[in-house]
Amino acid sequence: MEVRERIDLLERADIVNSLLARYGVKFGIYKNNTFHEQLFPFDPIPRVIGKEEFAYLEKGLKQRVQALNLFLKDIYNEKKILKDKIVPEEFIYASSGYLAQCEGIVPSKGVFSHISGIDLVLGKDGVWYILEDNLRVPSGASYPMIARELCRRSSPKTFQSVSVADNRSYAELLKKTLDYVNTGGLTVVLTPGRYNAAYFEHSYLAEKMKVPLVSSHDLITENDKLYFVDYSGKKEQVGAVYRRISDEYLDPMNFNHESVIGVPHIFDIYRKGNVAIVNAPGNGVADDKGIYYFVPKMIRYYLGEEPILHNAPTYLPYYEEDMTYVLENFDKLVLKDVAEAGGYGVVFGNSMSSKQKEDFLVLLKREPRRFIAQEVIDFCDLPIQEKGEQFERKADLRAFVLSSDEPVVWKSGLTRFSRNPDSFIVNSSQGGGFKDTWVLNQ
Amino acid sequence: MGVKSVEHIDRLYWLGRYSERVYTTIKLYGKRFDSMIEEDAEGYEEFCQSLEIPNIYTSVEDFREKYPFGRDDPNSIYSNLMRAYDNAIELREEIGSETLAYVQMAVYELNKAAISDAPMIEFQNILDDTLAFWGIVDDQIEDEETRNIIKLGKRVERIDLYGRLRVDRASMRREVHRINGRIDRSGLRYNKQALARINELIEEEDLNYPEIVREIEKILEV
């Protein structure tokens, strides 16, 4: 990139951030039981991925998502992977993401994880490592979409001189994914409402796909079909629901009975194949942090291939051998509670006081299935700009894989960075910012 | 888009009403503020009476502070703008991000005015954002029904406020003629008797303002 164009992009970062504020590009967060809307700070220096490097990632991500989809189909049906003892049963049935209600169900067109958000980091050794798979309701694609739109306005010459794959077709890709599994009728985005952390994304994607954004009270179930009821009382059948509500709250008749944001009996209609729910309920069993350990084994088992992308070296204290390793190397490991998400439940062995460590070890020995331990990946810093100066900060990448007739990797992604120089935690809920992700065309 | 829920219809209508309420009350507040600079220190009491809002203010200074910016005052300009925003933010896919942005900007401008040494001058930005919002509703919302429901809310609110503030007959007649041309295009069912009665009332020499207010408040009761 020419110097002048690079300067344009950086100098106009404040304008881009003020436009992001103008369009209400925010996320919600609860602090002390009070809801706050916060702007998601945007850094103008993109993460740049070369064409060849992306081709490698693309191949690895497709492979991983294909295996995860096969795993989900298998777990809720034949369970061959359990019978063949590749994955221990207790990792399935003890997982909070496993839903017995999904047993025997094959969703429309056999797709379970339609939108997969795969978190990766680039190690200082030049190797990309998968940190986690998000197969329930992964969010974040809307942020680079709108940031790209605004950066193109603020620095058109940059995009004239650098050939970057256009990421603004995400909504079309998503609509195509939803249409593929639609069982006949409207496609809608189902939101729990504006006090959800990702409400901006729900409404923005509905706008860009030109589909209705609905709440549970707009939908009714009748004669084994799902309907949207309009203001005049007219009913229109719904064939695909892009739900941004977690499994637990999706249907009070089948899951959490206290849910007031779900649609009663929607799951029964889904079970009968009369509506597609995207992503499929029960996917949590495959993105559990404990199951992560087994994904390379799944790839070998279902596809007969060697995994292209690497997991971070992971230990399961559930296995005696791994427990011994964890106890001996505690200070150099990061420990994760498999039930937590969003950067919570993550502790670094070397940051604990001796009392904390003592308490933690008691817990670990009592509930070994609850934790995984990983080597701390020394991942690459990326430059960020703050008050005109540049600093290096930890950053990850959430890649999006959309599965319809075949998996497609979106040629972009959400790059999140830590704003704290000493932190590896990049989540927006913990004060992180985001960058656009450029995939070069050549 | 074609399909709209009851909730969206309600939100479109109230987006129209609250955005109009913000616009008109800022203008009224501006006039009252000006008259209270040198004299008419108690003028806010009459202001409250005309809008039929409780006079919770203890002094001119208290009124100057709380009426525009009071977060706990349900009748403040701030509260009305936040109600417009609360409706708009739930309508992004219906009205579009570009349209929503003007309501969002008005919120930022009001927050800036609240900490300014000269809030009155800052209010111009909120009026500009509101006018731009009306403009973009016309220009960019393709769905005619959506457009007309927002504008119906605006017209209803204006007649309501004009009735309470006893504006001149010509202005009232103009607004009633506008609603006559708008209401059928909204696609909403409405109280035809109430509209007919309002049309009779504006032909009278001395306008019966309280009755006009009562009738316009019943316009969507069917």
Side-chain angles (χ1 to χ4, degrees):
Chain A
M1 204 189 309
E2 296 298 320
V3 172
R4 182 66 247 163
E5 286 135 15
R6 191 180 160 90
I7 290 171
D8 277 357
L9 193 65
L10 302 190
E11 281 184 347
R12 293 174 191 155
D14 287 348
I15 300 174
V16 172
N17 269 302
S18 73
L19 286 171
L20 289 168
R22 169 196 177 109
Y23 292 117
V25 182
K26 299 175 187 177
F27 65 94
I29 189 165
Y30 284 89
K31 276 185 192 159
N32 304 324
N33 293 324
T34 308
F35 179 77
H36 299 271
E37 284 180 332
Q38 286 187 6
L39 295 170
F40 195 6
F42 170 68
D43 183 76
I45 308 171
R47 176 198 283 279
V48 181
I49 301 175
K51 188 180 176 185
E52 280 179 23
E53 191 176 19
F54 186 76
Y56 158 78
L57 285 175
E58 193 174 32
K59 210 170 157 193
L61 289 163
K62 282 184 184 180
Q63 180 196 52
R64 191 170 179 99
V65 169
Q66 273 176 329
L68 286 163
N69 262 309
L70 290 167
F71 171 72
L72 283 161
K73 189 174 181 187
D74 188 20
I75 284 300
Y76 287 116
N77 291 278
E78 292 182 68
K79 300 179 179 43
K80 279 162 53 188
I81 201 164
L82 304 183
K83 289 171 193 158
D84 290 338
K85 303 200 179 307
I86 308 296
V87 177
E89 280 191 0
E90 46 269 63
F91 275 83
I92 303 302
Y93 301 121
S95 163
S96 59
Y98 166 77
L99 297 179
Q101 295 93 326
C102 295
E103 283 293 340
I105 297 178
V106 178
S108 173
K109 306 274 174 74
V111 184
F112 282 76
S113 186
H114 312 76
I115 299 116
S116 310
I118 311 293
D119 293 346
L120 307 102
V121 291
L122 179 60
K124 283 190 174 155
D125 52 5
V127 176
W128 283 96
Y129 292 96
I130 306 274
L131 283 190
E132 64 181 36
D133 306 293
N134 297 278
L135 312 180
R136 304 178 213 201
V137 277
S139 65
S142 57
Y143 299 105
M145 268 171 84
I146 191 164
R148 177 74 61 83
E149 178 79 38
L150 300 176
C151 285
R152 287 174 65 89
R153 276 190 227 166
S154 79
S155 184
K157 283 187 180 162
T158 302
F159 293 90
Q160 253 169 16
S161 66
V162 187
S163 181
V164 182
D166 196 342
N167 71 357
R168 292 171 300 165
S169 58
Y170 181 80
E172 282 166 42
L173 194 58
L174 179 59
K175 181 71 170 36
K176 183 179 162 237
T177 306
L178 298 170
D179 287 346
Y180 178 72
V181 292
N182 189 312
T183 58
L186 285 176
T187 291
V188 299
V189 178
L190 173 62
T191 177
R194 68 168 284 204
Y195 298 110
N196 180 274
Y199 181 74
F200 159 73
E201 174 152 301
H202 307 168
S203 58
Y204 187 70
L205 291 177
E207 179 194 1
K208 293 297 165 192
M209 286 194 289
K210 298 186 169 57
V211 304
L213 178 69
V214 303
S215 303
S216 57
H217 49 257
D218 300 324
L219 301 175
I220 60 159
T221 54
E222 209 173 84
N223 302 323
D224 291 336
K225 301 244 167 66
L226 181 70
Y227 294 95
F228 174 90
V229 185
D230 83 0
Y231 67 99
S232 66
K234 196 177 127 221
K235 288 178 277 191
E236 195 152 344
Q237 195 180 334
V238 175
V241 179
Y242 179 33
R243 52 76 180 240
R244 301 297 299 251
I245 292 178
S246 62
D247 288 352
E248 193 186 355
Y249 297 104
L250 184 63
D251 178 350
M253 308 312 286
N254 282 283
F255 304 112
N256 185 337
H257 299 311
E258 291 180 357
S259 171
V260 291
I261 53 173
V263 183
H265 297 297
I266 190 173
F267 186 76
D268 301 318
I269 289 165
Y270 162 74
R271 187 191 283 125
K272 288 181 176 157
N274 291 344
V275 71
I277 296 179
V278 175
N279 285 349
N283 280 6
V285 70
D287 69 8
D288 182 297
K289 287 187 174 73
I291 289 295
Y292 164 90
Y293 173 88
F294 297 99
V295 178
K297 292 175 191 280
M298 283 176 208
I299 293 170
R300 291 185 196 101
Y301 182 74
Y302 292 116
L303 305 176
E305 298 170 4
E306 272 307 300
I308 296 166
L309 293 169
H310 302 265
N311 270 10
T314 303
Y315 308 93
L316 292 183
Y318 165 85
Y319 292 123
E320 212 176 306
E321 191 186 339
D322 283 13
M323 176 68 98
T324 306
Y325 180 86
V326 171
L327 296 176
E328 283 172 2
N329 297 276
F330 192 81
D331 288 351
K332 64 172 196 150
L333 299 172
V334 54
L335 294 111
K336 297 180 178 177
D337 186 330
V338 297
E340 298 279 1
Y344 295 98
V346 176
V347 284
F348 289 84
N350 62 6
S351 68
M352 288 187 198
S353 66
S354 51
K355 173 77 175 98
Q356 284 171 326
K357 187 173 164 182
E358 195 180 310
D359 292 346
F360 186 86
L361 289 174
V362 170
L363 189 64
L364 181 68
K365 286 173 189 164
R366 196 173 64 218
E367 298 180 58
R369 162 72 183 85
R370 186 173 152 187
F371 298 95
I372 61 166
Q374 290 178 323
E375 302 287 349
V376 178
I377 302 281
D378 191 9
F379 54 96
C380 283
D381 296 330
L382 288 182
I384 67 154
Q385 180 177 264
E386 223 171 68
K387 292 176 186 159
E389 284 186 70
Q390 288 193 13
F391 303 94
E392 300 280 313
R393 292 288 183 271
K394 296 294 176 207
D396 77 350
L397 169 66
R398 174 165 291 180
F400 290 86
V401 184
L402 281 80
S403 303
S404 51
D405 48 345
E406 57 177 38
V408 176
V409 182
W410 182 39
K411 286 193 173 174
S412 185
L414 174 69
T415 293
R416 298 175 299 179
F417 61 89
S418 168
R419 292 169 81 204
N420 177 346
D422 304 318
S423 176
F424 280 70
I425 296 175
V426 298
N427 302 67
S428 55
S429 55
Q430 305 218 18
F434 80 102
K435 290 170 172 287
D436 192 2
T437 306
W438 290 4
V439 174
L440 300 182
N441 283 327
Q442 49 203 351
Chain B
M1 186 172 303
V3 291
K4 290 184 191 66
S5 65
V6 175
E7 185 184 327
H8 269 205
I9 296 289
D10 197 50
R11 289 194 179 284
L12 288 166
Y13 174 73
W14 283 100
L15 171 59
R17 286 201 69 161
Y18 282 117
S19 53
E20 170 62 25
R21 197 174 298 178
V22 168
Y23 181 77
T24 301
T25 53
I26 284 180
K27 292 182 87 168
L28 288 171
Y29 171 76
K31 279 187 193 164
R32 186 59 65 183
F33 184 96
D34 181 76
S35 76
M36 292 188 301
I37 290 175
E38 297 112 343
E39 50 190 89
D40 194 18
E42 305 300 315
Y44 67 89
E45 290 174 359
E46 188 197 326
F47 181 87
C48 294
Q49 266 172 13
S50 63
L51 284 176
E52 292 182 34
I53 60 173
N55 180 5
I56 57 165
Y57 313 104
T58 53
S59 64
V60 175
E61 284 313 314
D62 194 41
F63 173 74
R64 280 182 182 157
E65 175 66 29
K66 283 189 185 151
Y67 181 70
F69 306 119
R71 292 187 176 225
D72 300 324
D73 175 359
N75 296 302
S76 68
I77 293 171
Y78 174 85
S79 294
N80 287 323
L81 181 55
M82 288 315 293
R83 287 188 199 112
Y85 173 75
D86 285 343
N87 284 297
I89 199 163
E90 300 225 20
L91 293 165
R92 183 189 292 270
E93 93 286 5
E94 191 96 38
I95 63 176
S97 288
E98 293 289 344
T99 308
L100 169 59
Y102 286 98
V103 184
Q104 176 70 76
M105 285 195 292
V107 173
Y108 293 141
E109 294 297 345
L110 189 65
N111 287 333
K112 267 165 64 184
I115 52 168
S116 165
D117 292 336
M120 274 315 301
I121 203 82
E122 304 270 356
F123 279 148
Q124 187 57 49
N125 294 328
I126 305 165
L127 293 176
D128 289 350
D129 289 337
T130 311
L131 288 170
F133 168 74
W134 292 122
I136 202 166
V137 163
D138 254 336
D139 193 62
Q140 293 215 352
I141 297 180
E142 283 176 29
D143 187 276
E144 195 184 348
E145 218 171 65
T146 302
R147 241 181 10 245
N148 283 311
I149 295 168
I150 299 173
K151 288 163 88 171
L152 174 64
K154 174 184 175 177
R155 296 282 162 232
V156 168
E157 183 66 24
R158 188 168 285 185
I159 292 172
D160 191 314
L161 287 170
Y162 278 14
R164 291 174 196 279
L165 299 165
R166 289 169 160 69
V167 297
D168 61 273
R169 187 161 172 265
S171 301
M172 183 62 99
R173 280 168 62 100
R174 190 180 63 238
E175 290 307 320
V176 172
H177 288 150
R178 280 174 161 178
I179 208 169
N180 285 335
R182 176 77 51 199
I183 197 159
D184 282 320
R185 285 190 276 161
S186 72
L188 297 185
R189 289 193 299 157
Y190 63 93
N191 184 338
K192 292 191 173 163
Q193 278 180 326
L195 186 63
R197 180 65 189 139
I198 293 168
N199 276 286
E200 282 170 17
L201 288 167
I202 57 163
E203 296 306 323
E204 290 174 4
E205 199 61 38
D206 291 321
L207 289 188
N208 182 343
Y209 290 105
E211 194 177 350
I212 292 175
V213 171
R214 277 197 300 277
E215 294 298 328
I216 198 70
E217 285 292 333
K218 292 195 296 195
I219 200 77
L220 290 187
E221 289 174 12
V222 283

